[in-house]
Amino acid sequence: MKKDVTFFFLLLLLCQGYAFAQTARVTGTVTGPDNQGLPGVNVQVSGTTLGTATDASGTFTLNAPGNGSLVFSNIGYVSQTVAINGRSVITVQLAEDQKTLNEVVVVGYGTQRKTDVTGALSSISTKEFAQQPITRLDQVLQGRAAGVQVTQASGAPGGDARIRVRGANSVLGDNNPLYVIDGFIGADFNFLNPNDIETLQVLKDAASTSIYGSRGANGVVIITTKKGAKGIKVTYEGQGSVSNVIKKYDVLPAGEFADIVNARALATGSNQPFTADQVSGFKQNGGTDWQSLVYRTGHGQQHQVTVSGGGDKTTFLVSGNYVNQTGIVQNSDFNRYIFRSNLNTQLNSKLAFRLNLSGTKTKNHNTNGGGALIQALAWAPTTPAYGADGQPTFTDPIGSVYRNPLDYLYDQSIVSERTTFNVNGGLNYQLPIKGLTLDLQYAINYLNAQDKNFTGQRLSNYNPSASRYSAEQLTLQNTNNLSYNLTVGDHSINAVAVLETQQFTNTTFNATATGLRFPQLGYDNIGGNSAASVGSGFQKWTLLSLLGRVNYAYKDKYLVTAAVRRDGSSKFSQANRYSVFPSLALGWRLSEEKFIKDMNVFSNLKLRGSWGMTGSQAINPYATLSPYNTTFVAFNNTAAVAGVIQGNQGNTNLKWETTRQTDVGLEMEFFRGRLRFEADYFHKNTSDLLLNVSLPNYAGGGTQTRNVGEVENKGFEFSLGGTPIDRGGFRWETNLNLSTLKNRVISLGGLARLGTGTGVGAGMSTTNEFMLMPGEPLGSYWGLKYLGTFKPNEADLAARFGRVPGDPHYQDLNGDNSITTDDFQIIGRAFPKLTGGWNNTFTYKGLTLNVFFNGVFGVDKLNYTRAAALSGAGDARQFILSEIRDYYRPGNETSDVPAFTKTYQPFTQSSRFLENGSFVRLKNVSLSYNLPASVLRNKGNIRVFASATNLLTITKYKGPDPESSSVGSGTDTAIGIDYGSYPNSKTYTIGLNLGF
């Protein structure tokens, strides 16, 4: 292995030495018609694939042969070829071009000119996020593509993000889009360094995604990573940041809290806990600010080094990325290391070879939020944080029945480690038949997962416990792609035929122990214990696919795309193993018609429509089988004996969930591409929806997975972008997108409703927090409708319920004068009706200002954090939030904040704590400056920048963050609950970019 590595680096050095021996350094500047520098201009050595791009001030540097030529090209400008003639400095001025539509985009298993694309896709240029401190892909996607909703469900460093393309289709399955990175299908975006992205496309309609068949129902995100260019280029980027919580809850100061506690005790006939002297002391000296003890100023740093280069035939790129972040919650942090190496070589005029290697190591520590954030709003401000022994106070005599918030921070450790390695290589061969190319690709992806949990003496009430979970996953992929391109007169054809296989295996092991004899060793030694359990597991599935696609264009104005994919999955029984996913798309470029050209208005005008089918493998590999579960049973008062019992019944009739989608789109460009507009209407219908159906006891009991449901998604998407101003050295580029979504359940296979829950609101929820019902969307909140408080003129009505004026008043649906689960109804919806983003980049000479907004509208959030702190019941016992100042009492009978009464009975699972989660957020504002090239004697470039993230949030939500959620991204039937969720932070970043 060491010899191989040594040989590899010697090969790179030889390539570099050959490049330097044949070339010389050339620098220069590229300007536009206004004589101002043009950023992003492609500078390529004629006759090769080697080149570079101009920086923000229009300058470039590369190594090129003195007798060669350079080709300068950029969208919107006429390409120009300039002979070098031994010069070391070249200045070029580009003229604007009316034909800017030859941009090539990556689609499934190939590329297409943007003008020829008949499906709905969104391209995100690296320029759109180059000015922002990005560390993950979800930050790139958020607010930048119509129809793509990204929610930062956890604001923790390395936290969870929910990404959805055109809504959610599945109840049991994962609704995350499919990620394809350099041709590897099913990649994890968490292990990608955004700085390595070369191109990014989001495929949205069935005409685009059906080529991925059984895996394309949720949309597809296609990413290609950067490659090297001739010569040597070294870049470094470093940044540092500080973060703080966006907003804290407004809580009562200690003295006022003591007054409220005494007032409640007096009203309910209890002894007042605080004396007058104690209350006076609290008002004079204050108390404990638990939120300040839980939150802190977080810090972060990111470093990126990239080395690229090569010769005429072989190029390489090697990059390394390091991220270290401490969260805004005490004792939480995240670390990430990413390495990537891309090698490309032209073996001869017909055969090319590529090899991409990447490896990632991540570690999350205590980034789950939860207990500490909840208890910070439950422990009384009158209780000291530490006792006389210097340890955190063990119990709260007034507030919460649970442990000190500090114990949740320091007496537990929750660690999640992930190590990945991906090898992706391929050969591309141009067959003797003109236009016919064979591409062979092989990929191996390895993941090692380690989860380690420890709960100490104090938090466990002196019964410390620990657990370990290990998993090894291996994915093998082979893709054989035969493509054919033919142009005859006005006719052009592009055809693709693919045979693809993929195999996945997962091996797991877990162990849990309680009563640890040596708790100081935590999860690293769980052998010494009073009780333990172990488990293990294995999963394997394979997928065999055949697919084909034909693109036909006549005179570049009449476009047809037809595709079909046949998938076979080992997850299903033999009778239902294979399924076919076809699609058809039509396009008409009206701008190529004479009557449109004569109008002299449109640079591009295209009408397109598509229909197609995609699927989802929303089951585990053995769902068709009836499993056996382990159990323990005692016979005749003997010790428990291990045994097995039959689990939920399998179903050999299971088949794919199938999504049919129709899309109609319109694309327009004006003023030689200076203004662009795109609109789409889509309608998705998912049938054969997989649901767990309860079985009667005479049929074996439990549940069985069946294809019985149907879900619908439909909506509109709008994108508007362009360059409104480009004169006198000042340039303004803007992109605005808006998306609507209407999601609803069509059928549950005859069921009137099906309850789902989250498990995050233990003690807060009376029953399932969400309900699936025909006619209603996924993520529909299930609870009581709060009508305010019983008013003085409603004393008789209150008495029917055993209540008095001032008590909470809930709607009695069945009229039985009792509030039970029979009175629950749908009270809100967790799916937003409208999402959008607006990105603006202003440049003037070396200065660049980026301002980016994103927004979510028409969404509800169930705020259990606020409910716990304002209910005065259950675990919290007292009222902590300042809202309680307005409680119902004589002289304030109009208040809907309940009174202090003996008959007080709150229900937190109600519309009282359902809040408007809509928001508009200034997601990023960045200012950067490119120093003049003369600073480094025209041998490199320097950029310095400062940025602010989440600087401003406009919302009616009363919690710290309207975006965060306590529910993970894996489900869409139970989302949007905030119960101690880790909030997003306001972050300030400074950074430096160096290039040589």
Side-chain angles (χ1 to χ4, degrees), residues 144-166:
R144 292 186 173 89
V148 180
Q149 182 198 351
V150 179
T151 304
Q152 301 285 347
S154 172
D160 190 31
R162 179 190 304 273
I163 302 176
R164 298 293 182 264
V165 177
R166 292 186 168 181

Side-chain angles (χ1 to χ4, degrees), residues 373-391:
L373 301 179
I374 296 169
Q375 294 306 302
L377 296 172
W379 271 56
T382 53
T383 301
Y386 296 92
D389 58 357
Q391 296 295 312

Side-chain angles (χ1 to χ4, degrees), residues 475-613:
T475 306
L476 306 176
Q477 179 183 312
N478 167 230
T479 304
N480 308 283
N481 185 330
L482 189 65
S483 63
Y484 181 62
N485 290 281
L486 175 66
T487 300
V488 180
D490 295 329
H491 306 272
S492 63
I493 295 175
N494 168 262
V496 173
V498 177
L499 169 64
E500 186 170 73
T501 63
Q502 197 169 61
Q503 175 182 287
F504 172 84
T505 57
N506 182 31
T507 305
T508 61
F509 179 83
N510 62 278
T512 300
T514 58
L516 297 179
R517 296 190 180 95
F518 305 100
Q520 63 271 24
L521 299 177
Y523 43 65
D524 290 321
N525 184 5
I526 62 176
N529 60 73
S530 59
S533 63
V534 296
S536 61
F538 175 81
Q539 283 188 343
K540 180 180 180 179
W541 57 259
T542 58
L543 189 69
L544 173 64
S545 306
L546 291 169
L547 61 101
R549 179 182 62 215
V550 176
N551 297 313
Y552 169 75
Y554 176 65
K555 290 186 176 181
D556 276 343
K557 55 183 176 180
Y558 307 118
L559 313 170
V560 180
T561 299
V564 63
R565 177 164 177 148
R566 185 173 188 261
D567 278 334
S569 173
S570 64
K571 291 184 177 182
F572 299 97
S573 63
Q574 190 66 41
N576 296 316
R577 182 154 295 170
Y578 293 92
S579 192
V580 177
F581 304 94
S583 69
L584 177 66
L586 304 174
W588 180 17
R589 288 192 61 205
L590 289 89
S591 53
E592 295 300 303
E593 300 287 358
K594 187 177 184 303
F595 69 94
I596 297 294
K597 287 184 176 181
D598 291 343
M599 296 170 62
N600 198 28
V601 173
F602 299 98
S603 306
N604 179 47
L605 178 62
K606 181 168 67 176
L607 184 65
R608 50 179 170 75
S610 67
W611 173 90
M613 297 170 57

